[in-house]
Coordinates of all heavy atoms in Angstrom, one line a residue:
M3 N 13.3 -203.3 60.2 CA 14.3 -204.0 60.9 C 15.6 -203.9 60.2 O 15.6 -204.1 59.0 CB 13.9 -205.5 61.2 CG 15.0 -206.2 62.0 SD 14.7 -207.9 62.3 CE 15.1 -208.6 60.7
V4 N 16.7 -203.8 60.9 CA 18.0 -203.7 60.4 C 18.8 -204.9 61.0 O 18.8 -205.0 62.2 CB 18.7 -202.4 60.6 CG1 20.1 -202.4 60.1 CG2 17.9 -201.2 60.1
E5 N 19.5 -205.6 60.2 CA 20.3 -206.7 60.6 C 21.7 -206.4 60.1 O 21.9 -206.2 58.9 CB 19.8 -208.1 60.2 CG 20.7 -209.2 60.6 CD 20.1 -210.6 60.3 OE1 18.9 -210.7 60.3 OE2 20.9 -211.4 59.9
F6 N 22.7 -206.5 61.0 CA 24.1 -206.4 60.6 C 25.0 -207.2 61.5 O 24.6 -207.6 62.6 CB 24.5 -204.9 60.6 CG 24.5 -204.2 61.9 CD1 25.7 -204.1 62.7 CD2 23.3 -203.8 62.5 CE1 25.7 -203.5 63.9 CE2 23.3 -203.2 63.7 CZ 24.5 -203.0 64.4
T7 N 26.3 -207.4 61.0 CA 27.2 -208.2 61.7 C 28.5 -207.4 62.1 O 28.9 -206.6 61.3 CB 27.6 -209.4 60.9 OG1 26.5 -210.1 60.5 CG2 28.6 -210.3 61.6
K8 N 29.0 -207.6 63.3 CA 30.3 -207.0 63.7 C 31.2 -208.2 64.1 O 30.7 -209.1 64.7 CB 30.1 -206.0 64.8 CG 29.5 -204.7 64.4 CD 29.5 -203.7 65.6 CE 30.9 -203.3 66.1 NZ 31.5 -202.2 65.4
T9 N 32.5 -208.1 63.8 CA 33.4 -209.1 64.3 C 34.1 -208.6 65.5 O 34.5 -207.4 65.6 CB 34.4 -209.4 63.2 OG1 33.8 -209.8 62.0 CG2 35.4 -210.4 63.6
I10 N 34.2 -209.5 66.5 CA 34.9 -209.1 67.8 C 36.4 -209.0 67.5 O 37.0 -210.0 67.0 CB 34.6 -210.1 68.9 CG1 33.1 -210.2 69.2 CG2 35.4 -209.8 70.2 CD1 32.7 -211.3 70.1
K11 N 37.0 -207.9 67.8 CA 38.4 -207.7 67.5 C 39.2 -207.6 68.8 O 40.5 -207.7 68.8 CB 38.6 -206.4 66.7 CG 37.9 -206.5 65.4 CD 38.2 -205.4 64.5 CE 37.4 -205.6 63.2 NZ 37.7 -204.9 62.1
D12 N 38.6 -207.4 69.9 CA 39.3 -207.3 71.2 C 39.9 -208.7 71.5 O 39.2 -209.7 71.5 CB 38.3 -206.9 72.3 CG 39.0 -206.6 73.6 OD1 39.9 -207.4 74.0 OD2 38.6 -205.6 74.2
P13 N 41.2 -208.8 71.8 CA 41.8 -210.1 72.1 C 41.2 -210.8 73.3 O 41.2 -212.0 73.4 CB 43.2 -209.8 72.4 CG 43.5 -208.4 71.9 CD 42.1 -207.7 71.8
L14 N 40.5 -210.0 74.2 CA 39.9 -210.6 75.4 C 38.5 -211.0 75.1 O 37.8 -211.6 76.0 CB 39.9 -209.6 76.5 CG 41.3 -209.2 77.0 CD1 41.2 -208.1 78.1 CD2 42.0 -210.4 77.6
G15 N 38.0 -210.8 73.9 CA 36.6 -211.1 73.5 C 35.6 -210.2 74.1 O 35.9 -209.0 74.4
L16 N 34.4 -210.6 74.2 CA 33.3 -209.8 74.6 C 33.2 -209.9 76.1 O 32.4 -210.6 76.7 CB 31.9 -210.3 74.0 CG 30.7 -209.4 74.0 CD1 31.0 -208.1 73.3 CD2 29.5 -210.1 73.4
H17 N 34.1 -209.1 76.8 CA 34.2 -209.1 78.2 C 33.4 -208.0 78.8 O 32.6 -207.3 78.1 CB 35.7 -209.1 78.7 CG 36.4 -207.9 78.1 ND1 36.5 -206.8 78.9 CD2 37.1 -207.7 77.0 CE1 37.2 -205.9 78.2 NE2 37.6 -206.4 77.0
A18 N 33.5 -207.8 80.1 CA 32.7 -206.8 80.9 C 32.7 -205.4 80.3 O 31.6 -204.8 80.2 CB 33.1 -206.8 82.3
R19 N 33.8 -204.9 79.9 CA 33.8 -203.5 79.5 C 33.1 -203.3 78.2 O 32.2 -202.4 78.1 CB 35.3 -203.1 79.3 CG 35.5 -201.6 79.0 CD 36.9 -201.2 79.1 NE 37.2 -199.9 78.9 CZ 38.1 -199.4 78.0 NH1 38.8 -200.2 77.3 NH2 38.2 -198.1 77.9
P20 N 33.3 -204.0 77.1 CA 32.5 -203.8 75.9 C 31.0 -204.2 76.1 O 30.2 -203.5 75.5 CB 33.2 -204.7 74.8 CG 34.0 -205.7 75.6 CD 34.4 -205.0 76.9
V21 N 30.7 -205.1 76.9 CA 29.3 -205.4 77.2 C 28.7 -204.2 77.9 O 27.5 -203.9 77.5 CB 29.2 -206.7 78.1 CG1 27.8 -206.8 78.7 CG2 29.5 -208.0 77.2
A22 N 29.3 -203.6 78.8 CA 28.8 -202.5 79.5 C 28.5 -201.3 78.5 O 27.5 -200.6 78.6 CB 29.7 -202.0 80.6
L23 N 29.5 -201.1 77.6 CA 29.3 -200.0 76.6 C 28.2 -200.3 75.7 O 27.4 -199.4 75.3 CB 30.7 -199.8 75.9 CG 31.8 -199.3 76.7 CD1 33.1 -199.4 75.8 CD2 31.6 -197.9 77.2
L24 N 28.1 -201.6 75.2 CA 27.0 -202.0 74.4 C 25.7 -201.8 75.0 O 24.7 -201.3 74.5 CB 27.2 -203.4 73.9 CG 26.1 -204.1 73.0 CD1 26.0 -203.3 71.7 CD2 26.5 -205.5 72.7
Y25 N 25.6 -202.3 76.3 CA 24.4 -202.2 77.0 C 23.9 -200.7 77.2 O 22.7 -200.4 77.1 CB 24.5 -202.8 78.4 CG 23.3 -202.6 79.3 CD1 22.2 -203.5 79.1 CD2 23.2 -201.6 80.2 CE1 21.0 -203.3 79.9 CE2 22.1 -201.5 81.0 CZ 21.0 -202.3 80.8 OH 19.9 -202.1 81.6
D26 N 24.9 -199.8 77.5 CA 24.6 -198.4 77.6 C 24.0 -197.8 76.4 O 23.0 -197.0 76.4 CB 25.8 -197.6 78.0 CG 26.2 -197.8 79.5 OD1 25.4 -198.3 80.3 OD2 27.4 -197.4 79.8
I27 N 24.5 -198.2 75.2 CA 24.0 -197.7 73.9 C 22.5 -198.2 73.8 O 21.6 -197.5 73.4 CB 24.9 -198.2 72.8 CG1 26.2 -197.4 72.8 CG2 24.1 -198.0 71.4 CD1 27.2 -198.0 71.8
I28 N 22.3 -199.5 74.0 CA 21.0 -200.1 73.8 C 20.0 -199.5 74.7 O 18.9 -199.2 74.3 CB 21.1 -201.6 73.9 CG1 21.9 -202.2 72.7 CG2 19.7 -202.3 73.9 CD1 22.3 -203.7 72.8
A29 N 20.4 -199.3 76.0 CA 19.5 -198.8 77.0 C 19.0 -197.4 76.7 O 17.9 -197.0 77.1 CB 20.2 -198.8 78.4
K30 N 19.8 -196.6 75.9 CA 19.5 -195.2 75.6 C 18.5 -195.1 74.4 O 18.0 -194.1 74.1 CB 20.7 -194.4 75.2 CG 21.6 -194.2 76.4 CD 22.9 -193.5 76.0 CE 23.8 -193.3 77.2 NZ 25.1 -192.8 76.8
H31 N 18.2 -196.3 73.8 CA 17.3 -196.3 72.6 C 16.0 -197.0 72.9 O 16.0 -197.9 73.8 CB 18.0 -196.9 71.4 CG 19.1 -196.1 70.9 ND1 20.4 -196.1 71.4 CD2 19.2 -195.1 69.9 CE1 21.2 -195.3 70.8 NE2 20.4 -194.6 69.8
R32 N 15.0 -196.7 72.2 CA 13.7 -197.4 72.4 C 13.5 -198.7 71.5 O 12.6 -199.4 71.8 CB 12.6 -196.4 72.1 CG 12.6 -195.3 73.2 CD 11.5 -194.2 73.0 NE 10.3 -194.6 72.2 CZ 9.6 -193.8 71.6 NH1 9.8 -192.5 71.6 NH2 8.5 -194.2 70.9
S33 N 14.4 -198.8 70.6 CA 14.3 -200.0 69.7 C 14.6 -201.3 70.4 O 15.3 -201.3 71.4 CB 15.2 -199.8 68.5 OG 14.8 -198.7 67.7
D34 N 14.0 -202.4 69.9 CA 14.3 -203.7 70.3 C 15.6 -204.2 69.7 O 15.8 -204.0 68.4 CB 13.2 -204.7 70.0 CG 11.9 -204.4 70.8 OD1 12.0 -204.0 71.9 OD2 10.9 -204.5 70.2
V35 N 16.5 -204.8 70.4 CA 17.8 -205.2 69.9 C 18.0 -206.7 70.3 O 17.9 -207.0 71.5 CB 19.0 -204.4 70.4 CG1 20.3 -204.9 69.8 CG2 18.8 -202.9 70.1
S36 N 18.2 -207.5 69.3 CA 18.5 -208.9 69.5 C 20.0 -209.1 69.2 O 20.5 -208.6 68.1 CB 17.7 -209.8 68.7 OG 18.1 -211.1 68.7
V37 N 20.7 -209.8 70.0 CA 22.2 -210.0 69.8 C 22.4 -211.5 69.8 O 22.0 -212.3 70.7 CB 23.0 -209.4 70.9 CG1 24.5 -209.5 70.7 CG2 22.6 -207.9 71.1
S38 N 23.2 -212.0 68.8 CA 23.5 -213.4 68.7 C 24.9 -213.7 68.2 O 25.5 -212.9 67.5 CB 22.5 -214.2 67.8 OG 22.6 -213.7 66.5
I39 N 25.4 -214.8 68.7 CA 26.7 -215.3 68.3 C 26.5 -216.8 68.1 O 26.2 -217.5 69.0 CB 27.8 -215.1 69.4 CG1 28.0 -213.6 69.6 CG2 29.1 -215.7 68.9 CD1 29.0 -213.3 70.8
G40 N 26.7 -217.2 66.8 CA 26.4 -218.6 66.5 C 25.0 -218.9 66.8 O 24.0 -218.3 66.4
D41 N 24.8 -220.0 67.6 CA 23.4 -220.4 68.0 C 23.0 -219.8 69.3 O 21.9 -220.2 69.9 CB 23.3 -221.9 68.0 CG 24.2 -222.6 69.0 OD1 25.1 -221.9 69.5 OD2 24.0 -223.8 69.1
R42 N 23.8 -219.0 69.9 CA 23.5 -218.3 71.2 C 22.9 -216.9 70.9 O 23.4 -216.2 70.1 CB 24.7 -218.2 72.1 CG 25.4 -219.5 72.3 CD 26.7 -219.4 73.1 NE 27.7 -218.4 72.6 CZ 28.6 -218.7 71.7 NH1 28.8 -219.8 71.1 NH2 29.5 -217.7 71.4
Y43 N 21.8 -216.6 71.6 CA 21.2 -215.3 71.4 C 20.6 -214.7 72.7 O 20.4 -215.5 73.6 CB 20.2 -215.3 70.3 CG 19.0 -216.1 70.6 CD1 17.9 -215.6 71.2 CD2 19.0 -217.5 70.4 CE1 16.8 -216.4 71.5 CE2 17.9 -218.3 70.7 CZ 16.8 -217.7 71.3 OH 15.7 -218.5 71.6
T44 N 20.5 -213.4 72.7 CA 19.9 -212.8 73.9 C 19.3 -211.4 73.5 O 19.6 -210.9 72.4 CB 20.9 -212.6 75.0 OG1 20.3 -212.2 76.2 CG2 22.0 -211.5 74.6
D45 N 18.5 -210.9 74.4 CA 17.9 -209.5 74.2 C 19.1 -208.6 74.6 O 19.8 -208.8 75.6 CB 16.8 -209.4 75.2 CG 16.1 -208.0 75.0 OD1 16.8 -207.0 75.1 OD2 14.8 -208.0 74.9
G46 N 19.2 -207.5 73.9 CA 20.3 -206.6 74.1 C 20.2 -205.8 75.4 O 21.1 -205.3 75.9
R47 N 19.0 -205.9 76.1 CA 18.8 -205.2 77.3 C 19.1 -206.1 78.5 O 19.0 -205.7 79.7 CB 17.4 -204.7 77.5 CG 17.1 -203.6 76.4 CD 15.7 -203.1 76.6 NE 15.3 -202.3 75.4 CZ 15.8 -201.1 75.1 NH1 16.7 -200.5 75.8 NH2 15.3 -200.5 74.0
D48 N 19.5 -207.3 78.2 CA 19.9 -208.3 79.3 C 21.4 -208.4 79.4 O 22.1 -209.1 78.7 CB 19.3 -209.7 78.9 CG 19.6 -210.8 79.9 OD1 20.2 -210.5 80.9 OD2 19.2 -211.9 79.6
V49 N 21.9 -207.6 80.4 CA 23.4 -207.5 80.5 C 24.0 -208.9 80.9 O 25.1 -209.3 80.4 CB 23.8 -206.4 81.5 CG1 23.4 -206.8 83.0 CG2 25.2 -206.1 81.4
I50 N 23.3 -209.7 81.7 CA 23.8 -211.0 82.0 C 23.8 -211.9 80.8 O 24.7 -212.7 80.5 CB 23.0 -211.7 83.1 CG1 23.0 -210.8 84.4 CG2 23.4 -213.1 83.4 CD1 24.4 -210.6 85.0
G51 N 22.7 -211.8 80.0 CA 22.6 -212.5 78.7 C 23.8 -212.2 77.7 O 24.3 -213.0 77.1
L52 N 24.1 -210.9 77.7 CA 25.2 -210.4 76.8 C 26.5 -211.0 77.3 O 27.3 -211.5 76.5 CB 25.3 -208.9 76.8 CG 24.1 -208.2 76.1 CD1 24.2 -206.7 76.4 CD2 24.2 -208.4 74.6
M53 N 26.7 -211.1 78.6 CA 28.0 -211.7 79.1 C 28.0 -213.2 78.8 O 29.0 -213.8 78.5 CB 28.1 -211.5 80.6 CG 28.4 -210.0 81.0 SD 30.1 -209.5 80.5 CE 31.1 -210.6 81.3
A54 N 26.8 -213.8 78.9 CA 26.7 -215.3 78.7 C 26.9 -215.7 77.3 O 27.2 -216.9 77.0 CB 25.3 -215.8 79.2
L55 N 26.9 -214.7 76.3 CA 27.2 -215.1 74.9 C 28.7 -215.6 74.8 O 29.0 -216.3 73.9 CB 27.0 -213.9 74.0 CG 25.5 -213.5 73.8 CD1 25.5 -212.2 73.0 CD2 24.8 -214.6 73.1
C56 N 29.5 -215.1 75.7 CA 30.9 -215.6 75.8 C 31.6 -215.4 74.4 O 32.3 -216.3 73.9 CB 31.0 -217.0 76.2 SG 30.4 -217.3 77.8
G57 N 31.4 -214.2 73.8 CA 32.0 -214.0 72.5 C 33.6 -213.9 72.6 O 34.1 -213.3 73.4
E58 N 34.2 -214.6 71.7 CA 35.7 -214.6 71.6 C 36.2 -213.8 70.4 O 35.4 -213.6 69.4 CB 36.1 -216.1 71.5 CG 35.8 -216.9 72.7 CD 36.3 -218.4 72.6 OE1 37.0 -218.7 71.6 OE2 36.0 -219.2 73.4
C59 N 37.4 -213.4 70.5 CA 38.0 -212.7 69.4 C 37.9 -213.4 68.1 O 38.1 -214.6 68.0 CB 39.5 -212.4 69.7 SG 40.3 -211.4 68.5
G60 N 37.4 -212.7 67.0 CA 37.2 -213.3 65.7 C 35.8 -213.8 65.4 O 35.5 -214.1 64.3
E61 N 35.0 -213.9 66.5 CA 33.6 -214.4 66.2 C 32.8 -213.2 65.7 O 33.0 -212.1 66.0 CB 33.0 -214.9 67.5 CG 33.5 -216.3 67.9 CD 32.7 -216.9 69.1 OE1 32.7 -216.3 70.2 OE2 32.0 -217.9 68.8
D62 N 31.8 -213.6 64.9 CA 30.8 -212.6 64.4 C 29.6 -212.4 65.4 O 29.1 -213.4 65.8 CB 30.3 -213.0 63.0 CG 31.4 -212.8 62.0 OD1 32.3 -212.0 62.1 OD2 31.3 -213.6 61.0
V63 N 29.2 -211.2 65.6 CA 28.1 -210.9 66.4 C 27.0 -210.3 65.5 O 27.3 -209.4 64.7 CB 28.4 -209.8 67.5 CG1 27.2 -209.6 68.4 CG2 29.6 -210.3 68.4
V64 N 25.8 -210.9 65.5 CA 24.7 -210.5 64.7 C 23.8 -209.7 65.5 O 23.3 -210.1 66.5 CB 24.0 -211.7 64.0 CG1 22.9 -211.2 63.1 CG2 25.0 -212.5 63.2
F65 N 23.5 -208.5 65.0 CA 22.5 -207.6 65.7 C 21.3 -207.4 64.8 O 21.4 -207.3 63.6 CB 23.2 -206.2 65.9 CG 24.3 -206.1 66.8 CD1 25.6 -206.3 66.3 CD2 24.1 -205.9 68.2 CE1 26.7 -206.3 67.2 CE2 25.2 -205.9 69.0 CZ 26.5 -206.1 68.5
R66 N 20.1 -207.5 65.5 CA 18.9 -207.2 64.8 C 18.2 -206.1 65.6 O 17.9 -206.3 66.7 CB 18.0 -208.5 64.8 CG 18.5 -209.6 63.9 CD 17.7 -210.8 63.9 NE 18.4 -211.9 63.2 CZ 19.3 -212.7 63.8 NH1 19.7 -212.5 65.0 NH2 19.9 -213.7 63.0
V67 N 18.0 -205.0 64.9 CA 17.4 -203.8 65.6 C 16.1 -203.4 64.9 O 16.1 -203.3 63.7 CB 18.5 -202.6 65.5 CG1 17.9 -201.4 66.2 CG2 19.8 -203.0 66.0
S68 N 15.1 -203.2 65.7 CA 13.8 -202.9 65.2 C 13.1 -201.9 66.1 O 13.0 -202.1 67.3 CB 13.0 -204.1 65.0 OG 11.7 -203.8 64.6
G69 N 12.7 -200.8 65.5 CA 11.9 -199.8 66.4 C 12.0 -198.4 65.8 O 12.6 -198.2 64.7
V70 N 11.5 -197.5 66.6 CA 11.3 -196.1 66.1 C 12.6 -195.4 65.9 O 12.7 -194.5 65.0 CB 10.4 -195.3 67.0 CG1 9.0 -195.8 67.0 CG2 10.9 -195.2 68.4
D71 N 13.6 -195.7 66.7 CA 14.9 -195.1 66.5 C 16.0 -196.0 66.1 O 17.2 -195.9 66.5 CB 15.3 -194.4 67.8 CG 15.4 -195.3 69.0 OD1 15.1 -196.5 68.9 OD2 15.8 -194.8 70.1
E72 N 15.7 -197.0 65.3 CA 16.6 -198.0 64.9 C 17.8 -197.5 64.1 O 18.9 -198.0 64.3 CB 15.9 -199.1 64.1 CG 15.4 -198.7 62.7 CD 14.6 -199.8 62.1 OE1 14.0 -200.7 62.7 OE2 14.6 -199.8 60.8
A73 N 17.6 -196.4 63.3 CA 18.7 -195.9 62.6 C 19.8 -195.3 63.5 O 21.0 -195.6 63.3 CB 18.3 -194.8 61.6
S74 N 19.5 -194.6 64.5 CA 20.5 -194.0 65.4 C 21.1 -195.1 66.3 O 22.3 -195.1 66.6 CB 19.9 -192.9 66.2 OG 19.2 -193.3 67.4
C75 N 20.3 -196.1 66.7 CA 20.8 -197.2 67.5 C 21.8 -198.0 66.7 O 22.9 -198.3 67.2 CB 19.6 -198.1 67.9 SG 20.1 -199.4 69.0
V76 N 21.5 -198.3 65.4 CA 22.4 -199.0 64.5 C 23.7 -198.3 64.4 O 24.8 -198.8 64.5 CB 21.8 -199.4 63.2 CG1 22.8 -199.8 62.2 CG2 20.7 -200.4 63.3
T77 N 23.6 -197.0 64.1 CA 24.8 -196.2 64.0 C 25.7 -196.2 65.2 O 26.9 -196.4 65.1 CB 24.4 -194.7 63.6 OG1 23.7 -194.7 62.4 CG2 25.6 -193.8 63.5
S78 N 25.1 -196.1 66.4 CA 25.8 -196.1 67.6 C 26.5 -197.4 67.9 O 27.7 -197.5 68.3 CB 24.9 -195.8 68.8 OG 24.4 -194.5 68.7
I79 N 25.8 -198.5 67.6 CA 26.4 -199.9 67.8 C 27.5 -200.1 66.8 O 28.6 -200.6 67.1 CB 25.4 -201.0 67.6 CG1 24.3 -200.9 68.8 CG2 26.0 -202.3 67.7 CD1 23.1 -201.8 68.7
R80 N 27.3 -199.7 65.5 CA 28.4 -199.8 64.5 C 29.6 -199.1 64.9 O 30.7 -199.5 64.5 CB 27.9 -199.4 63.1 CG 27.0 -200.4 62.5 CD 26.6 -200.0 61.1 NE 26.0 -201.2 60.4 CZ 25.2 -201.1 59.4 NH1 24.9 -199.9 58.9 NH2 24.6 -202.1 58.9
N81 N 29.5 -197.9 65.5 CA 30.6 -197.1 65.9 C 31.4 -197.6 67.2 O 32.5 -197.2 67.5 CB 30.2 -195.7 66.2 CG 29.9 -194.9 64.9 OD1 30.3 -195.3 63.8 ND2 29.0 -194.0 65.0
L82 N 30.8 -198.6 67.8 CA 31.4 -199.2 69.0 C 32.4 -200.2 68.6 O 32.2 -201.0 67.7 CB 30.3 -199.9 69.9 CG 30.7 -200.6 71.1 CD1 31.3 -199.6 72.1 CD2 29.6 -201.4 71.7
S83 N 33.6 -200.1 69.3 CA 34.6 -201.1 69.0 C 34.5 -202.3 70.0 O 34.4 -202.2 71.2 CB 36.0 -200.4 69.3 OG 37.0 -201.3 69.1
L84 N 34.3 -203.5 69.3 CA 34.1 -204.7 70.1 C 35.4 -205.5 70.1 O 36.1 -205.6 69.2 CB 33.0 -205.5 69.5 CG 31.6 -205.0 69.6 CD1 30.6 -206.0 69.0 CD2 31.2 -204.8 71.1

């Protein structure tokens, strides 16, 4: 399992566009991805759950990735601009 944090830099926060891009990355991989902001968390394959995190600019998003292709999944998520 790999755990890492990204800070939301988009002034609009974690809105529809970055959520869609994040979901597309996660959907292409077989690994399990958990996403949390503070005490709110969701499965990375739950697009409604990702939107419900209501991430704001400056907040830290914690990703936990576990599975057969976790290395490539982590790399793809890290390269995504939030």
